[in-house]
Amino acid sequence: MALVQPFALVNSTNVKWTNTQEKSINRDYPFTNLHLESPEQYVVRTYLQFLWLPESIMPLTLLVPSLRRVQEPPSSSPGSEHPLHALLEPLLLSTRSSSTKYHTELPQILANSGGEGEIEETTMWYALNYEKVGTGEGEGERKGENGLQGGSNEDSIMMEDKWKNTWLERLERREVQIQILLYLLKLSLPGPCRPLPPVTIPPLGTGNDAQLAKSAKRRKEKPITVIPSPAQRLESFMDKLSTWQLISRMDDTQNAHGIFPRERDWMQAFCEDVVEPQFKAALPGLCKILRSKLFPRSPFADDDESEADPSDLSSSPVPSSKPLTSKPSKKEKKRERSKQDRNGSASVSSSAAGSGLRARSRSLSVSLAQDASTRRSNLNTSTTLKRALSREVSMSRTFKPRPAAYIKGA
């Protein structure tokens, strides 16, 4: 029996590339020398990669685990601030700054074909040069300015501008999702939460409107400095998602003739697949707020009906064959008291949730009977007043001569 000696792989020497391989290597990627980057550079690189690169390469489910790799140093005290608070601060935006970024700043950089040359601008140009552009029937890979072929030059320019606007809208949606994850990560970090930097709100008349500027000078308004709350900013981004969902549903309703789609939209999928699995245990209240905004209930739904037993909602209730004992009556009284304390209303029924519908129907009939009696009494008083103040008008078309005047005593 022969023994086979194991092979040893020597990887100490670098493999030399040929000239053809060196020329084919892509060197325009903005992030190099990753082994030398600091924690600040790592957090910025992670944010930009998840923002500008496609979902197939950088899925949002991996953003928070990637950022959580930044850990506290072993020598830090238990009650010290987490280092991610300071690293996330330059990346946190407000809804207004996010809208300005994608509706004013980035379109201006694209129109000028360049800006200040920051790292995010470099990442934007890298993503733009390799973004896929729809060319009608198929899709071609964008290479500089030769992505659109065919048609006149004006048509290609219009298609290019239209595509860039659609691309920026998609990136704005991506930005809003990332901002929600960043604020949730900030609020879920252990230790004290670092407050956001103060924001100066300019006066009302500092824009281009001359009339507003004059009125502001007349009132002598001064800029206001406020410290925003992370939870308030987070909820403002949630409201933006809810607004987009409402607009998309209105468009779907017009296209589908009033039939709402039953499948989830991308906002509901973001809530259920990305946010809740990572933050539902640590931040249940904020996850519940996001779900209430993206999964709205019908305005005609009744909380009492949803909480009531389905057997009690039948039109002809069947009387129970079991005699009532003293224990269920006490439970019903406790339940009734809790409902009265919670709703703050004196019109809550004295029975359980099943008899609430009958009480509502009885109160409705009573109110209708009172309205009918009030209407009849008002009708009787109006007819008597009308008879007293009415004046008879003859509708006859025959001529009636005026009675002749006579002298009294003649």
Side-chain angles (χ1 to χ4, degrees), residues 55-223:
E55 174 73 15
S56 58
I57 301 177
M58 308 298 292
L60 283 180
T61 53
L62 301 179
L63 173 61
V64 175
S66 300
L67 293 175
R68 287 187 184 274
R69 293 181 59 188
V70 179
Q71 300 290 333
E72 295 180 347
S75 60
S76 61
S77 59
S80 61
E81 183 183 282
H82 199 279
L84 267 180
H85 284 290
L87 300 179
L88 292 177
E89 187 173 300
L91 308 178
L92 297 176
L93 303 176
S94 63
T95 53
R96 177 176 294 183
S97 59
S98 173
S99 180
T100 304
K101 175 181 177 180
Y102 290 94
H103 292 272
T104 304
E105 296 175 358
L106 293 182
Q108 189 65 33
I109 293 176
L110 293 175
N112 298 337
S113 299
E116 298 179 359
E118 298 177 349
I119 184 62
E120 185 169 6
E121 181 186 346
T122 308
T123 312
M124 181 196 71
W125 288 116
Y126 174 80
L128 182 64
N129 291 332
Y130 290 92
E131 187 72 20
K132 288 186 177 181
V133 183
T135 58
E137 296 179 358
E139 287 188 352
E141 188 171 342
R142 175 186 176 87
K143 294 291 184 182
E145 298 297 329
N146 298 325
L148 293 173
Q149 298 178 357
S152 62
N153 190 20
E154 295 181 358
D155 295 339
S156 63
I157 292 175
M158 291 177 61
M159 289 293 294
E160 183 81 7
D161 293 340
K162 183 179 179 181
W163 174 83
K164 285 182 180 179
N165 293 333
T166 306
W167 181 61
L168 289 176
E169 289 177 1
R170 179 168 59 85
L171 287 172
E172 186 181 5
R173 295 196 297 264
R174 182 86 169 180
E175 179 75 70
V176 170
Q177 297 177 73
I178 289 177
Q179 289 296 322
I180 290 176
L181 293 176
L182 292 181
Y183 277 106
L184 287 172
L185 175 61
K186 178 179 177 62
L187 294 173
S188 64
L189 291 176
C193 183
R194 183 175 186 174
L196 296 175
V199 177
T200 302
I201 301 176
L204 185 62
T206 55
N208 298 326
D209 197 340
Q211 186 176 1
L212 289 177
K214 290 181 180 179
S215 61
K217 289 181 180 179
R218 199 179 303 115
R219 292 191 300 267
K220 297 181 179 180
E221 294 183 354
K222 296 181 179 180

Side-chain angles (χ1 to χ4, degrees), residues 33-45 70 87:
N33 299 326
L34 302 183
H35 60 284
L36 300 176
E37 65 181 1
S38 61
E40 293 84 359
Q41 295 174 346
Y42 169 77
V43 172
V44 173
R45 177 176 64 86
V70 179
L87 300 179

Side-chain angles (χ1 to χ4, degrees), residues 323-369:
L324 296 176
T325 59
S326 58
K327 292 183 179 180
S329 61
K330 291 182 179 180
K331 290 183 179 180
E332 291 176 359
K333 290 181 180 179
K334 291 181 179 179
R335 192 182 308 168
E336 181 183 349
R337 291 172 184 171
S338 62
K339 284 185 178 180
Q340 290 178 355
D341 295 336
R342 182 180 58 189
N343 299 330
S345 174
S347 61
V348 180
S349 175
S350 61
S351 60
S355 61
L357 294 175
R358 293 191 295 271
R360 273 200 300 273
S361 61
R362 181 180 177 278
S363 61
L364 180 61
S365 61
V366 170
S367 60
L368 290 175

